[in-house]
Amino acid sequence: MTSQLQLLILSNGHGEDVIAVRILKELLQLENPPKISALPLVGEGYAYQKLNIPIVGSVKTMPSGGFIYMDAGQQLMRDVQGGLLKLTLNQIQTTREWVQAQKQAGNRSAVLAVGDILPLLFASISGANYAFVGTAKSEYYVRDDAGLLKRTNKGAYWENFSGSIYHPWERWLMTRQRCKAVFPRDSLTTKILQEMRVPVFDLGNPMMDNLQPSFPTHRVYATDAEHQEIIRPLAVTLLPGSRIPEAYDNWEQIMIAVSSLMETMLERNSVSHGSKILIFLGAIAPNLDSTILAQFVTSHGWKPHPITELPVKFSDRKALTFKQRNAYFVLTQNAYNDCLHMADIAIAMAGTATEQFVGLGKPALTIPGKGPQFNPIFAEAQSRLLGNSVILVPHAENLGKQVKNLLADPDKLHAIAENGLLRMGKPGAAQRIAECIMERLS
């Protein structure tokens, strides 16, 4: 028997695992931290393994990888054939057995669910007190601060038929006596759930934590600050996503968009940005093959160029660098945070990375891909979630004109900066959530 809280974390996807790990890192920093175990419901829980968090029960990667935005029925059938039902039943049994074992040992136990209704359901039938971090749903999918969005597709009604993006059965799980805390991803969602008597806490989105760059972000304004801003290169971060092979198809589209932007911005009569120098920052996930991506770059006319001759200081000395006309290209797998902070805009075909970029108050131009994740359905939904911070560009070859119009509209850029901060929240959410979890579940 121990007075230490035993905490089981349930999460359903790679992104959810990462968010869960951010919270549990903060939990472990507290004065009397819980003893943590994890059960990833989708995938094999590599984020937990890196932190040496013990995994209980069965884990398995399904064929869909958790993405069913395109051909949902077909993807689900593939998962069923891959053993989804058996895996799910095993995971429910594992959750209940874990709680029962803690009771028999006389330990205090609780469950933290991170993701959507699946871990929330598992938590509710576990027999223990539980809390829920809702990463998948936001009221911004159906409304903004002014009211409901005008949408014409037939399925739109069902997303909000009960007055909330969270359906009645989901809210029922959140209002059970054993549900001690719910942490929505933004203030608007918190407000709606609060009206429906859900025990919600508006503590921010852990997605915006740990994004500090390697350089200081505060600005020192010199006497020639305005001139320096005019001659500063326009920096564009490229976010192709991390899923293989989809990311390589996305990269091909992004390279077309890069060519479009260069053609527009470097033309003689362009006045949308003071500098005639462009720098593209390819923020590449570590699991992608940089050689394949570099081949796409050189096939579009870029030549290798010394990193020491870039117009900006760059922290990753192992980055691959190229030059074409008055533009520079950087491929890095070690400076993700710097790429987010250095850029003025992003060309994005990603999920989490796009949200993080927008959360820094910057505009992202997105191009619908072939999927299975970043397809037209996902891209359209993301544009609702992130509002005017996302500019959806149906065809990559037209991106240059969109950027030119955007940079010529300072009022819109100001509104985008405010919108991004509003929708994604301030850093430090993981620590705030961890402290609240211990208060509510102990």
Side-chain angles (χ1 to χ4, degrees):
M1 183 175 176
T2 174
S3 62
Q4 186 181 29
L5 176 68
Q6 308 289 310
L7 184 65
L8 177 64
I9 297 193
L10 306 174
S11 54
N12 64 321
H14 171 70
E16 289 79 1
D17 293 353
V18 171
I19 288 173
V21 163
R22 285 180 184 170
I23 295 170
L24 67 87
K25 279 182 179 177
E26 297 296 337
L27 281 167
L28 294 172
Q29 297 296 316
L30 298 179
E31 188 175 337
N32 186 24
K35 185 176 180 182
I36 298 170
S37 302
L39 176 54
L41 307 180
V42 175
E44 298 183 25
Y46 294 119
Y48 298 115
Q49 293 176 31
K50 283 183 185 176
L51 210 61
N52 294 319
I53 298 298
I55 292 177
V56 300
S58 302
V59 294
K60 186 177 181 182
T61 300
M62 289 291 109
S64 73
F67 295 117
I68 55 171
Y69 279 95
M70 187 159 11
D71 299 326
Q74 184 180 342
Q75 296 278 10
L76 182 60
M77 186 56 65
R78 287 175 63 206
D79 284 359
V80 170
Q81 292 170 347
L84 176 63
L85 293 179
K86 183 180 177 182
L87 177 67
T88 301
L89 291 173
N90 284 342
Q91 291 171 338
I92 292 173
Q93 184 178 357
T94 297
T95 304
R96 293 178 66 88
E97 287 176 351
W98 182 89
V99 171
Q100 196 60 37
Q102 301 305 324
K103 285 182 179 177
Q104 290 174 354
N107 296 331
R108 293 182 301 119
S109 65
V111 175
L112 175 64
V114 181
D116 59 20
I117 189 173
L118 187 64
L120 176 60
L121 175 62
F122 282 25
S124 70
I125 59 179
S126 69
N129 289 342
Y130 59 95
F132 174 55
V133 180
T135 65
K137 286 195 170 186
S138 167
E139 289 295 333
Y140 282 115
Y141 280 118
V142 295
R143 71 180 82 231
D144 57 20
D145 295 284
L148 287 174
L149 303 175
K150 293 181 180 178
R151 297 166 64 201
T152 56
N153 58 311
K154 294 178 181 178
Y157 167 79
W158 295 108
E159 287 188 67
N160 185 58
F161 75 94
S162 66
S164 169
I165 189 74
Y166 280 105
H167 298 313
W169 49 90
E170 294 170 307
R171 300 198 303 268
W172 185 83
L173 296 173
M174 295 180 204
T175 52
R176 296 306 84 205
Q177 188 176 354
R178 285 188 291 102
C179 182
K180 301 301 182 182
V182 173
F183 306 101
R185 52 172 292 151
D186 53 63
S187 299
L188 181 61
T189 309
T190 303
K191 179 185 174 185
I192 298 295
L193 289 177
Q194 201 166 30
E195 293 169 358
M196 298 177 173
R197 299 185 178 180
V198 174
V200 286
F201 295 85
D202 185 14
L203 301 182
N205 190 336
M207 211 180 281
M208 295 309 298
D209 290 353
N210 303 324
L211 294 179
Q212 298 87 347
S214 65
F215 52 86
T217 53
H218 66 275
R219 292 186 177 184
V220 178
Y221 289 96
T223 53
D224 63 343
E226 190 173 336
H227 173 68
Q228 290 297 324
E229 181 66 19
I230 291 172
I231 65 171
R232 182 179 62 83
L234 176 70
V236 184
T237 287
L238 312 176
L239 302 168
S242 60
R243 183 183 170 91
I244 298 173
E246 180 180 356
Y248 299 130
D249 292 332
N250 291 348
W251 189 248
E252 193 170 2
Q253 288 299 304
I254 286 173
M255 290 308 304
I256 294 171
V258 165
S259 297
S260 169
L261 183 54
M262 284 182 61
E263 189 177 329
T264 303
M265 300 300 290
L266 298 181
E267 63 189 21
R268 288 185 179 180
N269 61 349
S270 175
V271 292
S272 47
H273 190 268
S275 174
K276 287 294 182 182
I277 300 174
L278 296 173
I279 182 162
F280 296 96
L281 306 170
I284 308 307
N287 64 304
L288 299 183
D289 188 337
S290 60
T291 306
I292 293 174
L293 299 171
Q295 287 172 353
F296 278 112
V297 175
T298 54
S299 70
H300 280 259
W302 294 85
K303 305 295 182 187
H305 189 75
I307 193 170
T308 53
E309 296 180 20
L310 289 177
V312 295
K313 291 181 180 179
F314 199 73
S315 60
D316 179 15
R317 307 315 290 176
K318 295 181 180 178
L320 302 176
T321 51
F322 309 84
K323 186 180 181 185
Q324 183 181 168
R325 296 163 63 190
N326 288 349
Y328 299 83
F329 205 115
V330 178
L331 271 181
T332 177
Q333 292 177 299
N334 303 301
Y336 174 72
N337 290 4
D338 286 358
C339 287
L340 296 188
H341 282 272
M342 289 175 71
D344 301 287
I345 61 174
I347 302 173
M349 298 180 73
T352 299
T354 306
E355 294 179 41
Q356 290 174 324
F357 187 84
V358 161
L360 295 176
K362 304 178 182 187
L365 293 96
T366 62
I367 309 161
K370 298 175 183 177
Q373 182 194 15
F374 207 84
N375 57 50
I377 298 172
F378 184 99
E380 187 275 333
Q382 187 186 68
S383 69
R384 281 185 276 120
L385 173 67
L386 300 175
N388 64 356
S389 296
V390 163
I391 299 162
L392 200 54
V393 183
H395 304 289
E397 56 270 21
N398 296 333
L399 184 133
K401 294 176 183 176
Q402 296 271 18
V403 172
K404 185 177 179 180
N405 293 338
L406 174 65
L407 296 179
D409 190 344
D411 290 341
K412 185 171 184 179
L413 289 170
H414 180 72
I416 285 171
E418 290 187 338
N419 177 71
L421 298 173
L422 176 69
R423 298 203 180 206
M424 294 301 297
K426 296 178 181 178
Q431 181 182 351
R432 294 189 290 269
I433 291 172
E435 291 170 352
C436 187
I437 286 169
M438 290 303 292
E439 185 181 316
R440 300 289 294 181
L441 294 181
S442 292

